[in-house]
């Protein structure tokens, strides 16, 4: 599997660390209520197909959101976390 | 008072020549990590150009001018080597003295690229990785900065504590390449 670091270019998967669902960067407001916070902290989808997750490019320190497919292992796109609308 | 003798990170480990490939130490002093604060990149770039002749580098690039070099070192960071950071940068960027933090080896000669290609998971062919190109990547399992300084020469920088491992990895790859060419 190869992943494109938005800064370094396409690299081998061994250079990256998986950092969980991209949901993590969409933190609810402080007063969003227990249900929103419960969802944010504990509930994750487990899709067979398209998914969005966070990857850390270890040698350069860049965080990216990757849109990829858990069935085909295709990586459709990567975006700098700092450029994802929040 | 005790007199301490400063030792360079690769002291006693280099130079090494195997076949046509040579590894020597590169001392990096002074070396400063420059990380511009939010929205200050343009000002930092202009001050660097005025002070040291090199601007803040684009990702994967090294710029050099008159013995001063600046190396992209990850998102929002660059390493200025061979000159002090202009005084005006204070307040616009985080500045960290890194002179003693890294070990840096030059690997050069015919076949240097083949030895390095055994360790680095990046396409190092000249057409894809020209002079002045730098990559944050791995040397085997070790995070490293790899920069092409000439068609047949690279500089490889790792954490100082990993210097001995770096020389071990490089000499092993060089030995393999030399045996293959024998
Ligand atoms: Zn990267």
């Amino acid at each position: 599997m190869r992943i494109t670091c938005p800064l370094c270019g396409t690299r081998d998967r061994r250079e990256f660390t998986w950092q969980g669902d991209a949901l993590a960067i969409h933190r609810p407001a402080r007063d969003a209520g227990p249900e929103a916070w419960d969802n944010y902290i504990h509930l994750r989808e487990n899709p067979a197909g398209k998914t969005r997750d966070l990857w850390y490019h270890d040698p350069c320190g860049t965080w990216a959101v990757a849109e990829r497919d858990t069935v085909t292992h295709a990586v459709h796109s990567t975006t700098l976390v700092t450029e994802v609308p929040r | 008072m005790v007199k301490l003798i400063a030792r360079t990170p690769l002291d006693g480990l280099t130079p090494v020549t195997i076949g046509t490939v040579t590894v020597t130490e590169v001392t990096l002093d002074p070396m400063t990590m420059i990380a511009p604060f939010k929205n200050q990149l343009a000002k930092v770039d202009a001050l660097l150009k005025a002070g040291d002749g090199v601007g803040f580098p684009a990702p994967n690039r090294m710029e050099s001018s008159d013995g001063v070099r600046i190396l992209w070192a990850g998102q929002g960071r660059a390493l200025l080597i061979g000159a002090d950071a202009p005084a005006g940068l204070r307040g616009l960027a985080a500045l960290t003295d890194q002179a003693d933090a890294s070990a840096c080896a030059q690997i050069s000669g015919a076949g240097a690229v083949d030895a390095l290609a055994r360790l680095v998971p990046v396409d190092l062919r000249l057409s894809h990785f020209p002079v002045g190109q730098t990559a944050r990547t791995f040397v085997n399992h070790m995070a490293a900065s790899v920069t092409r300084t000439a068609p047949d020469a690279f500089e490889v920088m790792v954490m100082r504590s990993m210097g001995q491992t770096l020389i071990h990895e490089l000499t092993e790859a060089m030995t393999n390449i030399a045996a293959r060419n024998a």
Side-chain angles (χ1 to χ4, degrees):
Chain A
M1 189 168 134
R2 281 157 78 75
I3 299 172
T4 300
C5 168
L7 298 178
C8 299
T10 303
R11 296 291 180 86
D12 194 274
R13 182 250 175 277
R14 88 186 86 152
E15 293 197 4
F16 296 84
T17 304
W18 183 77
Q19 297 283 8
D21 196 300
L23 184 75
I25 62 172
H26 302 286
R27 194 202 310 238
R30 264 167 188 266
D31 56 359
E35 200 179 333
W37 275 98
D38 183 53
N39 286 347
Y40 173 72
I41 292 170
H42 299 294
L43 296 187
R44 295 293 181 268
E45 301 293 337
N46 184 22
K50 278 202 172 174
T51 188
R52 268 174 94 245
D53 42 23
L54 291 170
W55 290 82
Y56 182 69
H57 190 206
D58 300 315
C60 91
T62 293
W63 288 78
V65 173
E67 289 194 357
R68 64 186 186 95
D69 197 302
T70 57
V71 175
T72 64
H73 298 299
V75 179
H76 299 297
S77 70
T78 46
T79 313
L80 282 179
V81 159
T82 48
E83 287 175 3
V84 174
R86 271 184 274 178
Chain B
M1 184 169 161
V2 183
K3 268 207 163 173
L4 299 175
I5 301 163
R7 298 180 65 183
T8 59
L10 300 178
D11 189 51
L13 300 169
T14 57
V16 183
T17 299
I18 298 170
T20 55
V21 184
T22 298
V23 170
T24 52
E25 177 166 21
V26 181
T27 49
L28 306 167
D29 192 16
M31 177 161 79
T32 309
M33 176 81 82
I34 301 175
F37 295 142
K38 206 172 180 182
N39 302 323
Q40 303 294 351
L41 180 59
K43 272 190 206 165
V44 169
D45 182 55
L47 278 168
L48 277 169
K49 274 186 186 136
D52 290 322
V54 291
F56 195 87
N60 309 308
R61 296 297 306 164
M62 179 187 72
E63 284 193 39
S64 45
S65 162
D66 253 348
V68 178
R69 301 189 290 150
I70 192 161
L71 199 65
W72 185 74
Q75 188 174 19
R77 302 192 303 274
L79 286 167
L80 179 67
I81 301 160
D84 288 320
L89 285 190
R90 224 162 270 276
L92 298 176
L95 306 174
T96 325
D97 181 4
Q98 296 282 343
D100 286 327
S102 298
C104 185
Q106 185 196 61
I107 176 167
S108 61
V113 65
D114 302 320
L116 213 47
R118 294 207 161 197
L119 300 167
V120 178
V122 167
D123 186 350
L124 295 174
R125 286 173 301 169
L126 192 57
S127 56
H128 188 261
F129 200 88
V131 174
Q133 185 88 3
T134 185
R136 304 292 292 194
T137 180
F138 287 131
V139 168
N140 207 351
H141 295 285
M142 214 171 10
S145 156
V146 177
T147 307
R148 185 176 229 128
T149 51
D152 64 352
F154 296 85
E155 284 184 12
V156 184
M157 201 191 299
V158 297
M159 282 190 285
R160 184 181 178 127
S161 59
M162 296 289 150
Q164 196 166 349
T165 307
L166 173 65
I167 300 305
H168 172 78
E169 300 280 12
L170 291 177
T171 47
E172 197 156 85
M174 287 152 65
T175 306
N176 289 340
I177 293 292
R180 219 158 230 276
N181 293 340

